């Protein structure tokens, strides 16, 4: 997954803390600066460690990759992955966000429904969409087949045998 963090404020940002709420359909091992925190992944971006030197400039974005592995228990109901900004600080030491509430509560954010008008909104108003919280999902393909012998036995060497394959 690629998480895009954008500075919509009036000063450069010098610290951004992120959480990825790893769903049951994935497994996580530390990568790309992310560490485990319970069943979730966390990372703090600072200048030189995910943010450019001097911080994240006004009206710019940085992409933060995180690798998750689809587990063998994955199904369409457990692969919706949310990431959220849990804190941020600008060069003046300010931590407030005018259109969202950074926190580590995955259930208190408006909007952000995959594939709808509230997905990937960067200028959310905190009512229709909190732009510090966003989902992404993967499509799961799960095929199965049945192979049955149609030709009745007993069988002889070099005898053609017919099979029925049902997908």
């Amino acid at each position: 997954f690629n998480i895009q963090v954008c500075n919509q404020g009036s000063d450069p940002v010098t610290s951004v803390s992120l959480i990825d709420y790893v769903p049951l359909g994935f497994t996580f091992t530390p990568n790309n600066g992310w560490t485990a925190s319970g069943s979730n992944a966390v990372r703090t971006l600072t200048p030189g460690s995910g943010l450019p030197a001097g911080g994240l400039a006004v009206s710019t974005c940085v992409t933060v990759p995180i690798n998750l592995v689809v587990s063998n228990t994955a199904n369409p109901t457990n692969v919706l992955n949310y990431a959220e900004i849990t804190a941020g600080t600008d060069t003046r030491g300010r931590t407030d966000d005018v259109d969202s509430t950074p926190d580590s509560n995955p259930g208190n954010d408006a909007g952000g429904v995959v594939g709808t008008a509230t997905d990937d909104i960067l200028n959310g108003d905190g009512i229709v969409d909190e732009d510090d919280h966003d989902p992404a999902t993967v499509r799961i393909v799960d095929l199965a087949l049945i192979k049955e012998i149609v030709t009745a036995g007993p069988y002889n060497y070099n005898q053609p045998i017919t099979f029925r394959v049902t997908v």
Side-chain angles (χ1 to χ4, degrees):
F1 293 92
N2 283 324
I3 299 166
Q4 190 175 39
V5 176
C6 299
N7 181 359
Q8 298 172 308
S10 58
D11 291 289
V13 172
T14 56
S15 178
V16 180
S17 295
L18 304 171
I19 188 167
D20 189 284
Y21 304 107
V22 180
L24 294 175
F26 294 98
T27 57
F28 168 75
T29 54
N31 66 82
N32 295 316
W34 291 87
T35 59
S37 176
S39 61
N40 300 316
V42 294
R43 179 167 182 199
T44 298
L45 309 175
T46 57
S49 181
L51 295 180
L56 186 60
V58 174
S59 299
T60 64
C61 300
V62 64
T63 299
V64 184
I66 182 171
N67 298 327
L68 303 178
V69 175
V70 178
S71 69
N72 61 358
T73 61
N75 64 66
T77 66
N78 68 3
V79 292
L80 182 59
N81 182 29
Y82 285 92
E84 184 167 14
I85 295 172
T86 60
T89 306
D90 69 14
T91 54
R92 292 182 175 195
R94 293 179 297 196
T95 59
D96 57 319
D97 186 328
V98 298
D99 62 1
S100 58
T101 305
D103 60 27
S104 58
N105 181 346
N108 69 344
D109 299 295
V113 178
V114 174
T116 71
T118 64
D119 191 15
D120 297 327
I121 294 177
L122 285 178
N123 59 352
D125 58 8
I127 298 168
V128 174
D129 181 44
E130 273 205 45
D131 58 6
D132 71 342
H133 180 264
D134 203 50
T137 193
V138 297
R139 296 185 64 153
I140 300 293
V141 177
D142 184 9
L143 299 174
L145 67 83
I146 300 171
K147 184 177 181 181
E148 302 171 289
I149 298 174
V150 175
T151 307
Y155 307 105
N156 297 312
Y157 290 111
N158 297 318
Q159 174 188 354
I161 298 176
T162 302
F163 295 90
R164 178 180 351 179
V165 177
T166 306
V167 180

